[in-house]
Amino acid sequence: MRLSQLAASIAESPTLKLNEDAQRLREKGEAVIHLGIGEPKNKAPISALLSSASRLSTGDVKYAPTDGIPSLKKAIIRYTEETYGRLVAPENVIVANGAKQALYNLLYSLLNPQDEVIILAPYWVSYPEMIKMVYGVPVVVTPEDGSFHPRLADIEQAVSSATRAIIVNSPNNPSGVVFSEKFLADIVDFCERKGIILILDDIYQRLIFDGRPLVTALKFTNRDVESTNLVVVNGISKLYGMTGFRIGWAVTNRRLVETMTNVQAQTTSCASVILQAAAEGALTGLQSYVESLRLTIENNRNVMMQELSSFSGVKVTKPDGTFYCLPDFRAYNANSVELSHFLLQKALVVTVPGKEFGMEGHLRLSYAGTVKDVTEGVARLKWALDPHAPSEIYIGDRKVVRDWL
Ligand code: PMP
C-alpha cells in the first residue's frame, strides 16, 4: 500500500513506544524498572473522580461544544487569573484532548508550508514531528556552551524571514531546567518586536523545587491577551498527574481560538464530556493535592541526585522542576540509543535516549515513579556500566553476574 510520504516520515513517539515495551516485558513477568515514564504513580484527585462519575451517572453523555464545556472553561479562566494574573474571556480558551492536541491544533492554525518554528534543544520529542506534520520546518537551536539553558543570541541567529514561532518549555522536559527570568523577559520582548509567535508550553509550571517561585513568561508582556504574541498551552496531565484523562487547553486571542476550534471541530469534534468534568473537578477541588504531588516528586528528585552523585562516569545538571533529569553518559557510550537498548537488555531498566531530545550522549531518567524505582533503577545502571560497582546484583529474585566489564 502506498502511504503519504509525510505521514510515513513521522517518527513513532519513542516515549510511548518505551512504555509499551516496558509493559510487555512486565506482562512476561520481567522485573522492569521504568525510568522512562513521564507520569507519577498517584491516584487522580477525588474531586475529579466524583465530578466525572456524577456526569456519567446522568447518562447525558453527548457532544460538547467544540471549544470545551462552559463550566470547565470557567475553571480554566480562574486558573489563568490565579496563575498568570490575567483575566481572559471564554472566547480566549480552547479545551483539547491533552496539551498535545492543543499544540498540534495551534501549529496547524498558525503555519503555512515551509514556515519555520524554532525549538530549543533539549526539546520535547513531539515538537519537531508536530511541526513537520503541518508542513512546517523545525529549526533546532542548541546551547553552544553545553548547558541546557538557551541563549537569546543563539536564537537571534537562527531567526529568518520564515520564522513564524518559537516554542519555550520551562520547566523543561527533558532537562528539568527552569529558564531564567532574564531569558524569559528578553525572549518575550524579542518576539513582540519581531512579530514572532511565542508558544509557552507551561505544562510543568507547578512542578518546581527548592522553594522557587512560579514564573511565567506572560508576566513580561504589557499587552493584553488579544494583542500579545504569546500563546499559553497547559493541562491537567502533570498538574494533577491525570495523564490518562487527556485534557489540555490553550489560551490566546479570539481569532486564533476560533480557527483552532474549526480545526478541532472537523477532526475530533470535542474532548469527552466525562473527562472534561474530571478536569473541572480537579481544577475546582482541593488544591493541596498539587502541593503534595510536588513534594513527593521533589523528594524523588533529591534521591535521584543522591544516587547519581556516586556514579563515577555520569555528569548531571540538577533539575529545578519536572519529573526528569538528563545526565551525560558519554563516558560510557556516546551513542544514547545503543546505550538505552543495552541497559534495557542487561539491567531491565527503561531510559530514554537523549538523541530523541536533540542531546546525543545523554539519557533522560525520570523520577516520577517510587523512591524504590529510583534507588534500584540507578543501582542497576551502575552495575551494568561502572566497573567499580559490585559485579553481582539481584534483578527481581534472580541473582545476576556481570560478565562484560
Ligand atoms: N508538553 C510537554 C513538554 C510534555 O512533556 C507533554 C507530555 N509528556 C505534553 C506537552 C503533553 O501533555 P498532555 O498529556 O496534556 O497531552
Side-chain angles (χ1 to χ4, degrees):
M1 187 193 290
R2 198 160 60 92
L3 299 175
S4 132
Q5 276 179 15
L6 175 60
S9 78
I10 301 303
E12 73 183 330
S13 163
T15 41
L16 294 184
K17 163 88 171 49
L18 283 165
N19 283 351
E20 286 160 21
D21 289 351
Q23 191 54 34
R24 253 195 301 278
L25 282 166
R26 278 199 183 123
E27 277 161 15
K28 283 207 284 181
E30 301 282 7
V32 177
I33 293 182
H34 204 336
L35 298 184
I37 204 156
E39 54 188 357
K41 293 230 148 111
N42 69 310
K43 296 271 187 265
I46 190 78
S47 58
L49 302 178
L50 290 176
S51 167
S52 56
S54 103
R55 181 69 197 230
L56 185 59
S57 67
T58 65
D60 181 22
V61 184
K62 308 284 189 216
Y63 288 129
T66 299
D67 56 342
I69 54 176
S71 51
L72 172 58
K73 286 178 75 159
K74 211 163 140 190
I76 294 168
I77 289 168
R78 207 176 85 189
Y79 179 82
T80 306
E81 194 179 355
E82 283 167 2
T83 310
Y84 297 92
R86 297 280 169 146
L87 191 56
V88 299
E91 295 77 15
N92 298 121
V93 177
I94 175 167
V95 176
N97 292 284
K100 215 173 206 176
Q101 193 190 28
L103 272 164
Y104 180 80
N105 287 349
L106 175 62
L107 292 166
Y108 190 96
S109 303
L110 284 174
L111 301 190
N112 282 316
Q114 300 307 313
D115 277 352
E116 294 176 0
V117 179
I118 292 181
I119 54 178
L120 311 172
Y123 49 76
W124 181 43
V125 287
S126 293
Y127 296 147
E129 302 309 301
M130 279 191 195
I131 294 163
K132 286 191 261 171
M133 282 162 84
V134 298
Y135 297 93
V137 180
V139 175
V140 176
V141 174
T142 308
E144 278 192 8
D145 58 3
S147 78
F148 297 144
H149 197 293
R151 290 188 322 170
L152 187 63
D154 298 333
I155 296 171
E156 277 172 342
Q157 282 199 349
V159 167
S160 76
S161 56
T163 306
R164 182 85 178 101
I166 300 177
I167 306 180
V168 166
N169 170 224
S170 168
N172 178 264
N173 173 7
S175 71
V177 167
V178 170
F179 298 164
S180 72
E181 288 205 32
K182 163 119 183 49
F183 171 78
L184 295 175
D186 288 350
I187 191 125
V188 168
D189 174 61
F190 177 74
C191 287
E192 293 202 325
R193 274 190 290 115
K194 296 275 181 191
I196 296 170
I197 310 289
L198 182 58
I199 300 171
L200 304 171
D201 181 344
D202 279 354
I203 192 106
Y204 295 98
Q205 69 181 171
R206 291 194 181 262
L207 211 52
I208 41 181
F209 313 139
D210 309 314
R212 285 178 162 274
L214 184 158
V215 176
T216 80
L218 207 62
K219 132 176 182 198
F220 300 108
T221 177
N222 295 324
R223 302 188 191 174
D224 65 20
V225 66
E226 291 303 332
S227 53
T228 176
N229 290 10
L230 278 55
V231 181
V232 170
V233 174
N234 220 320
I236 58 166
S237 282
K238 316 292 168 170
L239 189 56
Y240 302 103
M242 289 172 65
T243 48
F245 286 78
R246 311 305 310 125
I247 298 291
W249 59 84
V251 179
T252 183
N253 65 67
R254 288 165 198 241
R255 174 127 191 275
L256 186 47
V257 168
E258 233 174 76
T259 310
M260 288 171 69
T261 306
N262 292 341
V263 169
Q264 193 155 286
Q266 302 297 357
T267 50
T268 45
S269 298
C270 58
S272 154
V273 284
I274 306 294
L275 304 174
Q276 292 194 61
E280 184 189 337
L283 283 164
T284 54
L286 264 185
Q287 296 307 298
S288 55
Y289 191 89
V290 176
E291 178 59 7
S292 87
L293 182 61
R294 195 197 67 73
L295 277 172
T296 306
I297 301 297
E298 177 163 2
N299 182 52
N300 288 5
R301 188 275 316 249
N302 294 342
V303 174
M304 176 67 92
M305 289 305 104
Q306 176 65 34
E307 298 302 311
L308 288 178
S309 66
S310 57
F311 203 151
S312 53
V314 167
K315 283 192 240 143
V316 62
T317 303
K318 188 178 177 185
D320 309 312
T322 75
F323 303 125
Y324 319 104
C325 59
L326 191 65
D328 182 341
F329 277 85
R330 278 176 290 186
Y332 296 111
N333 189 341
N335 181 328
S336 60
V337 174
E338 217 175 84
L339 184 62
S340 178
H341 279 133
F342 173 80
L343 292 169
L344 182 58
Q345 216 183 28
K346 295 288 189 191
L348 288 178
V349 179
V350 181
T351 58
V352 190
K355 186 163 186 266
E356 314 287 0
F357 309 99
M359 275 291 155
E360 184 49 304
H362 297 67
L363 294 178
R364 190 188 74 176
L365 304 183
S366 160
Y367 39 87
T370 60
V371 165
K372 188 158 173 278
D373 288 337
V374 173
T375 49
E376 245 188 85
V378 177
R380 288 194 203 175
L381 300 185
K382 283 182 192 162
W383 166 78
L385 296 175
D386 186 352
H388 305 299
S391 63
E392 292 182 351
I393 198 173
Y394 274 94
I395 293 188
D397 46 19
R398 242 180 333 127
K399 191 177 199 179
V400 286
V401 182
R402 183 182 61 221
D403 56 6
W404 54 87
L405 287 178

